[in-house]
Amino acid sequence: MQIRRLLFSILLQLLLVIPVTAQEPASIGLSFSLLPDVPAAIGLGGPLVGTHDGALIVAGGANFPTPLTEGGPKVWHDEVFVLLPGAEQWLTGQKLPRPIAYASCTSTARGIVVVGGSDADQVYSTAFLMRWDADSKQVLFESLPDLPAASAFGSAESIGDIVYLCQGKHQKSDLQLTGGFWQLNLGAIDTGWQSLPEHPGPVRFKMSTAVQQGPGGEACLFLFSGTSTSETDQGDPRFHAYTDSYRYSPLERLWSEVASLPKLDDPRHLAGEEKFANERWPISASCAESVGTRTIVTFSGSTDRYILDDNGKVLPAAVRPQFLPRVLSYDTVTDRWSDVGRMPVAVVTTEAVHWQGQIVIPSGETQPGIRTPKVQALSLESTAAVAHFEALDYAVLGLYLLLMVAIGIYFSRRSSTTDDFFLAGRKIPWWAAGLSVFGTQLSAITFMAIPATSYGSDWRRFVGSVMLLPVMLLVIYCFLPLFRRLDVTTAYEYLEARFSVAVRVLASAIFILFQLGRMGIVLLLPAIALSAVTAMDTYLCIALMGLLATIYTVLGGISAVIWTDVLQVFVLIGGALLCLIVTIQDVGGLSAMIEAAQVSDKFHIFDWRWSSSDMVAWVLMVGFLFTNLVPYTSDQTVIQRYLTTPDEKQAAKGLWLNLIITIPTGILFYGLGTALYVYYTSHPLEQAMLPAASDQLVPWFVVTHLPSGVAGVVVAGIFAAAMSSLDSSMNSISAAVVNDFVGRFSAKGRQQDFLKLARRLTLVLGVIGTGAAMVLATYEIKYLFDFFQRGLGLFGGGLLGVFLLAVFTRRCNAIGALVGLVSGASATIAVAFGTDINFLLYAAIGSCTCFVVGYLVSLVTGGQDRDLAGLTLATLRDVRNDAG
């Protein structure tokens, strides 16, 4: 009673700290400051901007010394300004080769590449390099090959020594754009500019570009928005601002369309804004820069709105609104845009550059004809979360891992027979068995990969938790009675009694093969997590966890496995709940989190479209029904848990407990991913610092937001979850080998000999699992949870089909079961490699094919002729009725 009161008190306190009403959103964390103004009193539009050898260089540009509203002409400039780190004033006194503005610039290790540009008379195709010479304190110039065509208001980016140019306009008129795309290798400039495939969207200029990692970690060029101009028959201009976005892969030389700019309201509440309601937000002539490994931040931009009056005539510049100081961020991993804050002064037609731990935006145009000399700087250091896995965390992690080993040592004295080693003497209480089943299915895959999937997409995979209900009904009322009546050690012993020894051996071999692969995956995930938040090498982490899990499993057998499962379940659920509470508080409360998530459609579950390749409702329902059936009916690691209880009734209670826990924890883990999405999209600089791998999201949040010591406990829980899955596989494979192969085919041996063999096998399996994880660590797998589900479908479908034949049919025989098993596996492989059918359907296809083919073959070959008393669901009822 005291324990119940304590748990209730803790739960109540946790709930009380969650605000249940909407609060003010948390600070978005954009920390801007102002650097010394550029020495141009009224500012510059289209300046040349870049950095080299620690110097910030701003040169050229154009402005209106006599205001445009007074009819003043645009004047082009050739002054060069240099700002050195820590300086309060710009260095002046140098000139460009000619007055120029609106050129495309990109900073490289060799210098600032300046391409094209224009003056009062023409648009240029020239290119040159600006380099800062610290000894002479001068900017040096070096000619580069001319472009194939002129360009102004284009955009240049560089990846290593390769410079890319998206052409702007090639003449003073904005009409008739040509849209070229070229590259120049600075290491081989004699080859000149090379033509590349153009993006598939409409031709434009004033586009915004940046370089950031794309799929697989490749540095890619991203292009956003832009504009074009046309004329009516009366000669009036029409402006077309674009909201599409593209990614260019240098390796594939291929453009791909990515998420369009978001639909946003205009907070200025200008006259005529209703015409643009529910439209996407253009950012023409904005500047953009990458942050971290997955984020691009864009600053301000023109919408090309409010330029024409009701008669389609151009409004005077004086009555057009200022540009909006909106800052957007684009996440290359989730392919999503977010409105993340405001900059001090909205500017267009300038460049953003990385300099001294900041993104610097010098000068620019604030309104048609009006410039600013302000130099804005966004700090990237003061606002970004920093990982803090400290000495206390390491101590907690070490103690936790030692506790796992201590449990193994404790139970080693109780494992004197193979029955003890594999089934714990059938003395495990029902609640511990249920928690162990849950813990085995939970694993580090659930704790890290499921929040990652809801962070990157939505809740549609939550159907998998719900579909566990019909699975439990089938297992408890159809499969469990058969397994417990026969008093088996492995599930495959039942297949021999029902069919033949050949079916038993083949099924057991398939199980062993799958588990050998699974061990590597469940060990790799936490190793990746640890390497992301500490200085430890991934391979060292794998070796450490593999070694410790092997030690306590060899010593304590299934008893150590089950009781370490129980401990890690409490730690992981508590850790996930704590992360959720902290996240909800940081985004302004539960209501604020739900509202923000709903706006992004993060709670979407059911997609009722017809498709066999997408994650639509029927695919998820059918797929997860069969995918969940596989482990609970044919996987020794799960079945072995509900064979360790004293009797069938307690085993059933354990499975019911597993079901009761699974659905709420599904809500918890999917909710955590959604809450993290809301948090990080409102904190773009923190989002930018996230590890590139989605599966590292949760551990990264743990070490950047949870207190020291607490973070160590949660990370230790992740380790324990992985070790729990590994130890389950080791013990279950050992059980299968000893019982289904060695014990079945060898002469009668002593229990002590089999126990020694079991422990030696467990040791060997620990080495194999650790090695498999190290091999997998060399491959790039975006969503390891999906990868695991794909493997489960390939290997498990046919095996499930054999058990369905065994339990639900009387006519199926051994030949039919064998042919069905091979047919199910063949069908699954054919579908996997020959069609685009969703991988979640693999288990359904494999099991259904096995069932149908196996039954038909059995009919053709004469059906079943052995005594099936108590071996099928129907004959089990007959036996019970006879006994009654």
Side-chain angles (χ1 to χ4, degrees), residues 198-220:
E198 298 170 19
H199 67 80
V203 178
R204 66 198 69 192
F205 69 129
K206 298 182 182 179
M207 67 288 288
S208 181
T209 61
V211 171
Q212 184 55 280
Q213 288 186 17
E218 178 194 2
C220 295

Side-chain angles (χ1 to χ4, degrees), residues 369-667:
I370 300 176
R371 277 63 167 153
T372 178
K374 300 296 182 185
V375 180
Q376 304 173 76
L378 172 62
S379 172
L380 299 180
E381 296 177 349
S382 62
T383 56
V386 178
H388 54 81
F389 204 73
E390 300 173 358
L392 180 60
D393 297 303
Y394 282 108
V396 169
L397 174 60
L399 288 173
Y400 194 101
L401 296 179
L402 287 176
L403 177 61
M404 300 293 101
V405 177
I407 291 174
I409 295 173
Y410 175 79
F411 284 104
S412 65
R413 294 173 295 178
R414 302 190 177 189
S415 298
S416 57
T417 67
T418 54
D419 187 63
D420 294 330
F421 194 78
F422 296 133
L423 297 176
R426 302 187 191 268
K427 297 177 182 178
I428 299 295
W430 64 268
W431 59 269
L435 289 176
S436 182
V437 170
F438 175 78
T440 300
Q441 296 298 96
L442 173 61
S443 78
I445 292 178
T446 307
F447 188 80
M448 293 190 290
I450 288 199
T453 59
S454 63
Y455 176 92
S457 55
D458 50 33
W459 279 48
R460 64 186 65 195
R461 290 179 177 87
F462 177 68
V463 172
S465 298
V466 178
M467 294 309 294
L468 194 60
L469 175 58
V471 170
M472 284 298 98
L473 292 173
L474 280 171
V475 171
I476 291 171
Y477 293 107
C478 301
F479 288 83
L480 179 61
L482 291 169
F483 292 148
R484 293 301 305 230
R485 178 187 175 277
L486 293 175
D487 199 28
V488 297
T489 299
T490 73
Y492 317 109
E493 293 178 57
Y494 164 67
L495 293 181
E496 179 180 359
R498 174 63 179 85
F499 294 121
S500 69
V501 65
V503 177
R504 172 185 180 179
V505 168
L506 181 57
S508 184
I510 292 175
F511 160 77
I512 292 170
L513 178 63
F514 171 68
Q515 288 299 322
L516 288 173
R518 179 179 184 268
M519 287 193 300
I521 294 175
V522 298
L523 192 58
L524 173 62
L525 270 170
I528 294 174
L530 183 62
S531 66
V533 300
T534 71
M536 295 178 66
D537 180 75
T538 301
Y539 296 96
L540 177 61
C541 299
I542 292 171
L544 177 63
M545 288 184 293
L547 174 64
L548 293 177
T550 302
I551 289 173
Y552 72 72
T553 307
V554 168
L555 292 174
I558 193 66
S559 295
V561 171
I562 288 176
W563 289 106
T564 53
D565 283 350
V566 171
L567 181 59
Q568 63 96 356
V569 164
F570 283 105
V571 172
L572 281 189
I573 292 180
L577 184 60
L578 182 59
C579 288
L580 181 62
I581 291 171
V582 171
T583 308
I584 289 175
Q585 286 182 319
D586 286 345
V587 299
L590 183 60
S591 296
M593 186 276 284
I594 292 174
E595 182 179 355
Q598 287 176 332
V599 170
S600 298
D601 200 23
K602 297 298 290 182
F603 294 117
H604 177 71
I605 297 179
F606 298 108
D607 182 347
W608 298 110
R609 293 180 297 117
W610 171 257
S611 173
S612 60
S613 57
D614 297 332
M615 294 272 187
V616 295
W618 83 267
V619 168
L620 290 162
M621 290 178 181
V622 173
F624 275 118
L625 173 64
F626 283 88
T627 301
N628 285 333
L629 266 174
V630 170
Y632 285 97
T633 61
S634 61
D635 189 332
Q636 176 65 16
T637 60
V638 177
I639 295 170
Q640 193 169 340
R641 262 48 171 199
Y642 56 77
L643 295 178
T644 59
T645 58
D647 53 47
E648 178 185 334
K649 183 178 180 180
Q650 291 210 44
K653 288 171 67 176
L655 289 173
W656 283 121
L657 175 63
N658 168 65
L659 174 64
I660 292 170
I661 297 174
T662 296
I663 294 178
T665 52
I667 296 173

Side-chain angles (χ1 to χ4, degrees), residues 557-882:
I558 193 66
S559 295
V561 171
I562 288 176
W563 289 106
T564 53
D565 283 350
V566 171
L567 181 59
Q568 63 96 356
V569 164
F570 283 105
V571 172
L572 281 189
I573 292 180
L577 184 60
L578 182 59
C579 288
L580 181 62
I581 291 171
V582 171
T583 308
I584 289 175
Q585 286 182 319
D586 286 345
V587 299
L590 183 60
S591 296
M593 186 276 284
I594 292 174
E595 182 179 355
Q598 287 176 332
V599 170
S600 298
D601 200 23
K602 297 298 290 182
F603 294 117
H604 177 71
I605 297 179
F606 298 108
D607 182 347
W608 298 110
R609 293 180 297 117
W610 171 257
S611 173
S612 60
S613 57
D614 297 332
M615 294 272 187
V616 295
W618 83 267
V619 168
L620 290 162
M621 290 178 181
V622 173
F624 275 118
L625 173 64
F626 283 88
T627 301
N628 285 333
L629 266 174
V630 170
Y632 285 97
T633 61
S634 61
D635 189 332
Q636 176 65 16
T637 60
V638 177
I639 295 170
Q640 193 169 340
R641 262 48 171 199
Y642 56 77
L643 295 178
T644 59
T645 58
D647 53 47
E648 178 185 334
K649 183 178 180 180
Q650 291 210 44
K653 288 171 67 176
L655 289 173
W656 283 121
L657 175 63
N658 168 65
L659 174 64
I660 292 170
I661 297 174
T662 296
I663 294 178
T665 52
I667 296 173
L668 171 62
F669 289 122
Y670 281 95
L672 175 57
T674 301
L676 289 174
Y677 170 82
V678 173
Y679 175 80
Y680 281 115
T681 52
S682 62
H683 294 74
L685 297 185
E686 286 197 47
Q687 182 185 51
M689 299 304 166
L690 289 174
S694 299
D695 301 291
Q696 299 172 15
L697 173 68
V698 173
W700 177 259
F701 183 84
V702 167
V703 298
T704 55
H705 289 79
L706 296 189
S708 180
V710 178
V713 173
V714 178
V715 171
I718 297 174
F719 275 68
M723 293 161 66
S724 170
S725 298
L726 177 64
D727 61 33
S728 298
S729 294
M730 288 191 292
N731 188 266
S732 298
I733 293 174
S734 179
V737 172
V738 170
N739 288 276
D740 296 328
F741 292 89
V742 179
R744 176 63 181 79
F745 296 106
S746 67
K748 188 174 181 179
R750 296 181 304 162
Q751 281 291 326
Q752 286 300 321
D753 293 335
F754 286 141
L755 181 60
K756 289 179 181 178
L757 174 62
R759 285 195 162 120
R760 290 170 183 169
L761 275 173
T762 303
L763 178 61
V764 172
L765 290 167
V767 174
I768 292 174
T770 304
M774 291 184 175
V775 172
L776 284 172
T778 63
Y779 293 92
E780 180 72 28
I781 304 173
K782 185 176 181 182
Y783 289 118
L784 280 169
F785 179 69
D786 287 354
F787 180 77
F788 174 70
Q789 295 290 348
R790 190 184 304 270
L792 186 62
L794 280 173
F795 284 89
L799 199 55
L800 168 61
V802 170
F803 277 92
L804 292 175
L805 284 168
V807 172
F808 293 105
T809 72
R810 297 189 189 191
R811 300 294 302 275
C812 186
N813 57 28
I815 296 175
L818 289 171
V819 174
L821 182 57
V822 173
S823 299
S826 301
T828 306
I829 293 172
V831 167
F833 293 98
T835 72
D836 61 351
I837 288 177
N838 192 283
F839 68 89
L840 284 176
L841 294 175
Y842 292 171
I845 292 169
S847 58
C848 291
T849 301
C850 175
F851 190 91
V852 172
V853 172
Y855 192 75
L856 292 176
V857 169
S858 297
L859 293 179
V860 172
T861 56
Q864 183 61 264
D865 58 1
R866 64 168 54 191
D867 182 11
L868 297 181
L871 294 177
T872 71
L873 186 61
T875 57
L876 178 65
R877 290 171 181 165
D878 294 341
V879 170
R880 285 176 172 174
N881 291 335
D882 293 342

